[in-house]
Amino acid sequence: MHVRRLLTSAFGSVSLAFALLGAGTATATPATADPCGFYETGSDAYYNHCTSDGSHVVIKVQVARAPDYERCVGPGRTWLGSAAAIQGAYYVGRTC
């Protein structure tokens, strides 16, 4: 019984070590990669339409102290404006 506990404990430790190593490598991404969807840098707001089919989609841009608006964006990164002025953007579910 004592040997079984030692083996279980050793197996658990090895599993935990592999899990931690895997988690560390899974989160390592290039710093230059833009995230999909809305994101901000220190001063600018962007929408990155991640697609492999070349589609254009309609997004709703949420603006501070101004009316929100819809915009058609193509594949890749689109500058939306100042991060101070743009509060968010999201895909509305249709192409353009």
Side-chain angles (χ1 to χ4, degrees), residues 35-50:
C36 296
F38 175 77
Y39 70 97
E40 295 178 338
T41 64
S43 59
D44 295 300
Y46 295 92
Y47 188 88
N48 188 23
H49 175 42
C50 298

Side-chain angles (χ1 to χ4, degrees), residues 17-29:
F18 279 121
L20 292 174
L21 285 173
T25 57
T27 58
T29 58

